[in-house]
Amino acid sequence: MRKRAKGLAVVMMMFVVMALIVSACSSNNGESPNSSSSNTPTNSSSTGSEEEKADPPAKTFKEFANKPVTLKVATPWGKDGFMQRIGDYVQEKQPHITLEHVDWDGTPEKMQELFAAQVVPDVLLAYTGQKPLEDLDMVFPLEEMLEVYGFDLNTIDPAAIAEIRSRDSEGRLVGMPQEIGYIGLHYNKELFDKFGVDYPQEDMTWDEVLDLAKKLTAERDGVKYRGLEFGVSAPLLQLSVNLTDPESGEVLLTKDSKITKYMELMKKYYEIPGINDPEATGSFQDKTVAMSVNWHGLLAWFGGETEEEAAEYQKQMDIVPLPSWPDLPNTSTVPVGIHPWAINNFSENKEAALQFLIESVSPEYQIGLSKSGTPSVLADKEINKSFGSERVRFNGKNIGAFTKNKLAEPPARSSYWDRFVQLDMKVFTESDMNVPEFLRKVEEESQVKIKDAMAQSESKKK
């Protein structure tokens, strides 16, 4: 009996020792010293049972070498504009990087000239789209490198990321979006008061805005006023539609009901008496148009030579969120105005180039952009509460109207060939064609242009 008790005691002692070993291992499970969980206190009452699983090791990321390097960056801004806009900031934050600006007009031809002169940009502002980079085999997908260095893409607005991915046939991330554009409905209270019409409200539909426009389109005291102008084709941008097939270049004007839907709305707009009067040549800027569908930067373009003069001129102007379609309530446009930074596939300085891209979306830099009047591309929209805070002309304006509604999801793949399709409303209004006839005409003309463009592109490859 004693031998049995002694044997049992030995077994129990071995169990305690094993429990202590397991406990010790779980408190030092291979996490890096920087891991937030490495300092988490352990539970002293742990028994080391199988149910208590150790946390998985923290993932370690590659660190930047930070070796002195000169980066060539190609933009259309000119050296001074580039350095003021972002260059000075990057060099301050990454002092091992020296930036050299390269003038580029966005064309493959100009890039080939640079290559011939032994100038190979490391980073490019892809403001003319992805095709120039594709033509020269310069596309460099970012996902793998971003993951290796531990960059979290969730910090960027998912709609902006989706828009960049839509440019690539494989849905790869081919650039870093630095900034984004928003569209809103600007209005002038002076003209609403003059006509005795209530100001536009939030959450309006396009038909409701057209009804307002009718009431504000008339002549007063010898001046011809108009109720509404379209500075941007926002109703079409809300529908997330391609005008052409991205792969084949087939024009889709008569094949997609969304395009007909948009054209029917524009037909209602142009049928407002006086809205298309050739003698009504004024604009929102000179206070003869009551409402303007336009970019977030509209108020920054006029009003005076100083911020104070502009603030006085624009004091009765304000913004409400973009009107929407009844079946797409509280929806803004697809992301617009995104010109991403891309890394050249031929760059020998990709690591430093990635640091440049990451600095362009750092919270500190994005807050500075927002304060100066450029909306942030980050997912944290709290940053946009500071939008325009350094611009006197924006004081008291309903700036939040630009970002109140969700962005529309862009098409899975955008089409390069859309640029060859022109829905010229002047031609439409001056003709006696109905919507289907007009779309057929434009479709046929556009298909010829695309066919010619494809032929030219093929000849350049030979």
Side-chain angles (χ1 to χ4, degrees), residues 316-378:
Q316 293 301 314
M317 296 178 178
D318 211 341
I319 311 106
V320 292
L322 197 64
S324 55
W325 297 93
D327 57 341
L328 292 171
N330 309 121
T331 301
S332 187
T333 66
V334 296
V336 292
I338 294 181
H339 302 319
W341 293 111
I343 295 178
N344 184 357
N345 188 43
F346 297 114
S347 169
E348 297 181 355
N349 302 303
K350 291 186 177 68
E351 183 184 69
L354 186 67
Q355 288 181 284
F356 178 96
L357 267 61
I358 290 174
E359 287 296 345
S360 76
V361 291
S362 67
E364 181 181 352
Y365 180 73
Q366 289 288 313
I367 288 172
L369 278 182
S370 181
K371 288 181 178 179
S372 66
T374 298
S376 170
V377 76
L378 297 185

Side-chain angles (χ1 to χ4, degrees), residues 49-65:
S49 64
E50 291 183 1
E51 289 80 5
E52 294 176 341
K53 301 295 184 182
D55 291 334
K59 189 170 185 177
T60 57
F61 301 108
K62 186 176 181 179
E63 294 185 358
F64 290 103

Side-chain angles (χ1 to χ4, degrees), residues 81-98:
F82 165 70
M83 295 304 295
Q84 291 171 9
R85 186 154 184 157
I86 189 172
D88 290 336
Y89 176 86
V90 172
Q91 288 191 155
E92 179 183 351
K93 295 301 176 181
Q94 302 291 343
H96 66 287
I97 296 178
T98 299

Side-chain angles (χ1 to χ4, degrees), residues 184-201 212 216 225-229 282-293 298-299 302 310-320 397:
L185 181 66
H186 300 72
Y187 68 100
N188 188 343
K189 298 175 184 177
E190 293 178 32
L191 299 191
F192 279 82
D193 293 342
K194 179 186 286 289
F195 284 85
V197 176
D198 291 337
Y199 303 152
Q201 303 297 309
L212 284 183
L216 295 156
Y225 295 95
R226 292 184 296 135
L228 177 67
E229 68 180 9
S283 65
F284 185 80
Q285 287 91 320
D286 59 27
K287 300 184 177 181
T288 59
V289 173
M291 297 179 287
S292 179
V293 176
L298 175 64
L299 297 182
F302 69 94
E312 178 63 26
Y313 185 83
Q314 298 171 355
K315 66 181 180 180
Q316 293 301 314
M317 296 178 178
D318 211 341
I319 311 106
V320 292
K397 305 297 184 191

